[in-house]
Amino acid sequence: MLEEDELKPYIGGILKQLLARYSIDSLMVFNFEGGKKNNQTARIFSGYNMSAMGYPRNYEGCPLLTLEMIHHFLRSSESWLSLSQDNYLLIHSEYGGWPVLAFALAALLVYLRRCKDERKALEMIHKYAPPGLVELYSPLDPAPSHLRYLKYVSRRHKSPELWPPADRTLNLNCAIIRTVPNFDGEGGCRPIFRIYGPDPLAPHDSSAKVLFSTPKTDDFVQLYTQEDSEIIKINIRCPVRGDVVMECVSVDEDFKHEVMVFRVMFSTAFVEDNLLLLDRDQIDILWDTKHRFPVDFRVELYTY
């Protein structure tokens, strides 16, 4: 983490080395910046007559890009690299941006058919960073959602003319959890669900909002235990469209303290048969909580 007065000489030193070997016209610059309006890194690049395309470091807490931004990054990269063998991509992430940068590079490998296996593509990129860097910057393991979106990118090879698919509005009816996770130390949890995404009723506004949140009252929140409950059903009944983040937390009996149970990011364009099934390995969870989930744990999202 560099202070502002340290950042300019640090990046400037790297750019001077690069420009001693490569033409400034051969570099396309991307910066995962967190959406700052007056970005210092972008100003440093502009001082070298280089404009940086900015991308956010996360989407509602997930270190991922929306499908539209993924498409923009991939098309821009492919177009630039195909113009000349002497063209290069220069990609920079600001503090905390490594997880989404790693995803973006893995997506590029899959998109360009340099790697057919999505998991291997992600692992290949992670080898270029010190071990534990993703854990340092992301409290949850983002690999399940990363792999889900890498599979979305792979779908392009089957029907490139239909990718990316158009967003479609779905009505998220309910979520069913099969087998109760242990988040109270006694084999139970008090789940609260939150849904984030663009408002389907405001199609010209793509910014994410809270679309649903379980009220913190006794009427809506109750304790489920592994001994007494086989399933947990949460009624949601809200429309969703495009890139959606679903978050489940467990609260204590006073509703004051929350602990993250799991988080999932998905695109409604790829939900098939009005059903999304997720097992224990397909949800983003805290790095040290896998033992809290039964082996046969599953989340079912029903839409219509």
Side-chain angles (χ1 to χ4, degrees), residues 67 151-153 155 163-165 168 267-272 276:
L67 209 56
K151 290 183 184 298
Y152 293 165
V153 174
R155 297 269 192 102
W163 201 94
R168 61 191 182 111
S267 169
T268 59
F270 293 95
V271 174
E272 298 177 346
L276 182 63

Side-chain angles (χ1 to χ4, degrees), residues 172 193-197 209-212 236 240 244-246:
L172 186 51
F193 273 69
R194 298 187 182 105
I195 308 294
Y196 307 88
K209 300 172 178 61
V210 180
L211 301 177
F212 171 84
I236 297 174
V240 293
V244 178
V245 173
M246 180 181 69

Side-chain angles (χ1 to χ4, degrees), residues 280-292:
R280 188 176 66 167
D281 296 322
Q282 294 173 312
I283 55 175
D284 302 354
I285 62 175
L286 295 166
W287 293 94
D288 60 350
T289 58
K290 190 169 185 177
H291 64 283
R292 296 175 181 264

Side-chain angles (χ1 to χ4, degrees), residues 177-179 181 262 279-280 283 293-299:
I177 295 176
R178 297 196 183 274
T179 67
F262 66 84
D279 63 29
R280 188 176 66 167
I283 55 175
F293 296 85
V295 176
D296 55 349
F297 174 90
R298 191 168 73 176
V299 182

Side-chain angles (χ1 to χ4, degrees), residues 174-228:
C174 68
I176 291 179
I177 295 176
R178 297 196 183 274
T179 67
V180 178
N182 177 17
F183 275 83
D184 66 350
E186 298 179 359
C189 68
R190 291 181 180 85
I192 283 180
F193 273 69
R194 298 187 182 105
I195 308 294
Y196 307 88
D199 185 352
L201 302 180
H204 300 295
D205 182 4
S206 60
S207 60
K209 300 172 178 61
V210 180
L211 301 177
F212 171 84
S213 182
T214 305
K216 285 186 176 181
T217 67
D218 291 326
D219 292 334
F220 293 93
V221 182
Q222 68 181 80
L223 174 65
Y224 296 88
T225 65
Q226 295 173 346
E227 183 177 351
D228 298 328

